[in-house]
Amino acid sequence: MSQIIAHLQTDIVSSVLPYIHKFIHSYIHIMDPMASKYPLWKRVLHKFQARRDIPFRKKFFVGYDLHGNTYWEFTIDGNMSRLRRKLEPFQESLFKLEYFETIPPQWLQWLRRTKRDPPTLLELMEEQVRQQRIKILAMHADQKWQAEKHRLEHEQALKLQAELDRVELENKEFELRQNAFPDDAGTSHRVDEVENQIEGKEKDPWAEADSKKDNPIESAVLKPRK
């Protein structure tokens, strides 16, 4: 019985052990993002290089960013009150300008001495999470506005279609009335034409001028005295 229990315990441990290792690896990766970029001895060396109580040392490690770049303070002339600052990239590149694409704004401020204290990995991770949250909110806002745009376009299309249907229905009703009373429609049309002709004649100034037979020369002749 004890052998069976021991065998079951061994099976349980062997089945659970990979998940435990995976959890530990994920936990270490979350707590220390540099675990996947630098080996343990390198990180220990960086911590040792960050100490400033060792005499005759002119270069000091300051910190990492999430891309694996390292930041340092150093002196050339031994002036410890005015240390210079520099970046050592995680991966060498042909052009130095490409390094600035991986520098976080917090570290860039520190390099330019507009920020006194260097940022920590926790601050950089929180900033990264904040940026991801902003991107998600912006994506949701874009989806919302796109849905609103489609809704307005659909409403406009429905209104336009309703107006076209109404006009088409009115045209059909008009055609049906004309087909039902063709004589009345023709008579009314002819009456309208006659009325328009009469109005045109009454309002024609040239016809009025031609109708007058007054001679301006006759009216200007002086009659002799008797």
Side-chain angles (χ1 to χ4, degrees), residues 10-128:
T10 304
D11 292 339
I12 293 172
V13 170
S14 61
S15 61
V16 174
L17 192 60
Y19 296 99
I20 295 175
H21 284 300
K22 186 177 180 180
F23 174 76
I24 293 173
H25 179 73
S26 301
Y27 179 78
I28 292 173
H29 180 70
I30 293 173
M31 296 304 295
D32 190 1
M34 297 299 105
S36 61
K37 298 182 181 297
Y38 293 99
L40 181 60
W41 67 268
K42 189 73 172 179
R43 284 176 282 148
V44 173
L45 178 61
H46 285 160
K47 289 183 179 180
F48 177 73
Q49 291 174 336
R51 297 185 58 178
R52 303 191 180 220
D53 55 351
I54 298 176
F56 307 109
R57 176 174 286 181
K58 295 184 178 181
K59 183 179 178 181
F60 306 97
F61 175 77
V62 178
Y64 306 97
D65 62 18
L66 297 179
H67 296 281
N69 302 321
T70 56
Y71 299 85
W72 303 77
E73 284 185 332
F74 67 99
T75 179
I76 298 176
D77 53 1
N79 185 7
M80 302 299 292
S81 61
R82 184 67 175 177
L83 295 174
R84 301 185 181 186
R85 298 175 179 180
K86 71 172 184 176
L87 157 73
E88 289 187 0
F90 176 66
Q91 293 179 347
E92 294 292 336
S93 179
L94 181 61
F95 300 101
K96 299 294 184 182
L97 188 61
E98 296 180 358
Y99 297 149
F100 287 92
E101 296 179 357
T102 61
I103 300 177
Q106 295 86 346
W107 276 114
L108 192 60
Q109 293 174 359
W110 180 82
L111 289 172
R112 294 176 176 175
R113 296 185 182 274
T114 57
K115 181 180 177 65
R116 179 180 178 182
D117 298 326
T120 61
L121 286 174
L122 182 60
E123 293 177 4
L124 297 176
M125 293 172 66
E126 290 177 352
E127 179 65 19
Q128 190 178 33

Side-chain angles (χ1 to χ4, degrees), residues 134-195:
I134 290 175
K135 290 180 181 179
I136 293 172
L137 292 176
M139 183 179 64
H140 289 170
D142 290 340
Q143 293 177 355
K144 179 181 177 181
W145 284 113
Q146 287 293 331
E148 183 68 16
K149 178 182 177 182
H150 292 323
R151 186 185 67 81
L152 294 175
E153 290 178 352
H154 182 65
E155 289 182 357
Q156 190 69 20
L158 291 177
K159 291 180 180 179
L160 181 60
Q161 187 63 36
E163 187 67 20
L164 292 175
D165 294 340
R166 186 182 64 80
V167 172
E168 186 177 359
L169 182 61
E170 290 179 355
N171 291 333
K172 288 182 179 179
E173 291 178 355
F174 181 73
E175 291 177 356
L176 289 175
R177 285 198 299 268
Q178 282 187 342
N179 294 330
F181 306 100
D183 296 337
D184 295 343
T187 304
S188 62
H189 182 67
R190 286 193 296 273
V191 169
D192 293 338
E193 289 182 352
V194 171
E195 290 179 354

